[in-house]
């Protein structure tokens, strides 16, 4: 099982295909397994690298997640890229992984070629974030399909993983932690903001939020789907892959 060391713990990763590197970053409570089903859309064009953030999937468990979880996951991503000896890496982060992807590029622009940020709330958590998170997590725990997804991603201890993640996000919201390690105006890496107008797990004004973000970033593009759930990289898999591949090609 391919792993690398990070802060005294082991992080799992796996690879598919050959070509320029494209790293996929999963969202909160998910794992790299969510991307395995999509590899037929990417592996003939890229060296696809999937990782499980610490505390998730097949990576080592942690006693708690930090409230600045997406900045910590960015550091894990940087450590993976350095472990592999890669440069000019493309990053595709979805949901929570989108924040991690942007933070990684803000921190180490020398390592990354493009960033795709899919299905996330943007610059700030929405006003009812904590209430909605608690409601969504409790509803999910009671839903057979959601429980199966969690167990598929995380294993038998899925409920503890979910609870620790919930605690970290609630603390992030309560303490009003900054979601990015630097100002977005400092973003040097080309960024694609991608989402769905029908995604009920994202803010209602996602269109406007993406437009305001793109206005701050020197090289940013937006692609919005009319339909599809959360995240669109999975719910609009074929079209999303086409959009992502075209965006990466346009930056060569």
């Amino acid at each position: 099982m391919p792993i690398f060391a990070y802060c005294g713990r082991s992080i799992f990763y796996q690879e598919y295909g050959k070509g320029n590197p494209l790293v996929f970053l999963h969202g909160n409570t998910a794992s790299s397994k969510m991307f395995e089903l999509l590899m037929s859309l990417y592996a003939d064009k890229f060296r696809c690298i999937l990782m499980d953030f610490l505390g998730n999937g097949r990576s080592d468990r942690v006693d708690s997640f930090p409230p600045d979880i997406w900045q910590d996951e960015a550091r894990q991503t940087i450590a993976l890229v350095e472990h592999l000896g890669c440069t000019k890496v493309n990053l595709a982060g979805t949901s929570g992984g989108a924040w991690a992807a942007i933070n990684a590029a803000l921190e180490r622009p020398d390592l990354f070629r493009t960033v795709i940020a899919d299905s996330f709330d943007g610059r700030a958590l929405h006003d009812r974030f904590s209430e909605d998170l608690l409601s969504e997590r409790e509803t999910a725990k009671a839903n057979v399909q959601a429980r199966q997804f969690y167990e598929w991603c995380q294993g038998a201890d899925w409920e503890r993983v979910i609870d620790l993640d919930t605690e970290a996000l609630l603390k992030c919201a309560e303490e009003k932690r900054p979601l990015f390690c630097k100002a977005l105006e400092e973003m040097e890496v080309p960024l694609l903001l991608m989402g769905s107008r029908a995604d009920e797990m994202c803010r209602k004004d996602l269109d406007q939020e993406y437009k305001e973000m793109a206005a701050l970033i020197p090289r940013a593009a937006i692609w919005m789907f009319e339909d599809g759930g959360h995240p669109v990289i999975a719910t609009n898999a074929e079209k999303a892959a086409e959009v992502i591949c075209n965006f990466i090609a346009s930056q060569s």
Side-chain angles (χ1 to χ4, degrees):
M1 187 170 78
I3 58 173
F4 71 98
Y6 177 82
C7 294
R9 297 182 185 271
S10 295
I11 293 180
F12 168 84
Y13 70 95
Q14 58 183 321
E15 300 190 38
Y16 297 81
K18 296 180 180 179
N20 294 324
L22 172 57
V23 176
F24 290 83
L25 304 180
H26 65 80
N28 294 66
T29 72
S31 74
S32 63
K33 280 194 171 184
M34 67 173 289
F35 297 119
E36 292 176 4
L37 304 176
L38 306 177
M39 286 300 96
S40 62
L41 301 173
Y42 297 93
D44 62 336
K45 303 176 183 70
F46 300 101
R47 176 189 177 187
C48 299
I49 304 161
L50 283 56
M51 69 181 294
D52 288 337
F53 291 125
L54 273 182
N56 293 275
R58 285 158 280 187
S59 291
D60 281 354
R61 292 297 184 253
V62 295
D63 295 327
S64 63
F65 292 113
D68 62 342
I69 185 169
W70 298 308
Q71 294 185 41
D72 184 68
E73 290 175 348
R75 292 188 285 271
Q76 295 175 43
T77 303
I78 291 167
L80 169 66
V81 172
E82 291 179 331
H83 169 76
L84 295 173
C86 296
T87 56
K88 303 304 178 185
V89 173
N90 302 290
L91 270 182
T94 189
S95 194
W99 278 296
I102 293 174
N103 275 309
L106 284 169
E107 189 67 34
R108 289 292 305 275
D110 57 305
L111 294 178
F112 301 104
R113 184 165 171 255
T114 64
V115 172
I116 296 90
D118 168 42
S119 303
F120 76 120
D121 269 357
R123 294 168 295 175
L125 303 175
H126 62 269
D127 292 340
R128 288 185 49 83
F129 175 82
S130 295
E131 295 90 335
D132 290 349
L133 177 70
L134 286 170
S135 175
E136 182 268 322
R137 294 284 165 91
E138 288 307 311
T139 300
K141 283 184 181 183
N143 181 280
V144 173
Q145 192 172 18
R147 290 167 65 93
Q148 290 174 340
F149 173 78
Y150 287 148
E151 186 168 8
W152 177 63
C153 285
Q154 307 294 358
D157 64 342
W158 66 267
E159 193 161 6
R160 174 167 170 76
V161 176
I162 305 311
D163 288 344
L164 291 179
D165 184 81
T166 301
E167 289 175 11
L169 293 183
L170 290 174
K171 192 169 184 180
C172 177
E174 179 186 353
E175 297 178 355
K176 300 187 184 303
R177 295 277 183 130
L179 305 185
F180 299 114
C181 60
K182 295 180 181 179
L184 287 176
E185 290 88 341
E186 297 183 41
M187 184 75 170
E188 300 177 28
V189 180
L191 171 67
L192 172 63
L193 299 164
M194 191 168 70
S196 167
R197 295 186 176 96
D199 187 346
E200 295 183 353
M201 293 184 68
C202 285
R203 63 195 305 154
K204 303 303 181 187
D205 61 342
L206 189 60
D207 256 319
Q208 184 62 29
E209 175 62 17
Y210 277 3
K211 288 175 183 175
E212 292 180 10
M213 287 181 69
L216 299 173
I217 298 167
R219 291 183 287 172
I222 300 170
W223 188 281
M224 292 295 293
F225 292 84
E226 291 299 329
D227 52 18
H230 187 84
V232 294
I233 198 171
T235 61
N236 283 286
E238 292 185 3
K239 182 60 179 178
E242 179 185 339
V243 171
I244 288 170
C245 292
N246 287 342
F247 177 74
I248 292 173
S250 73
Q251 304 303 319
S252 60

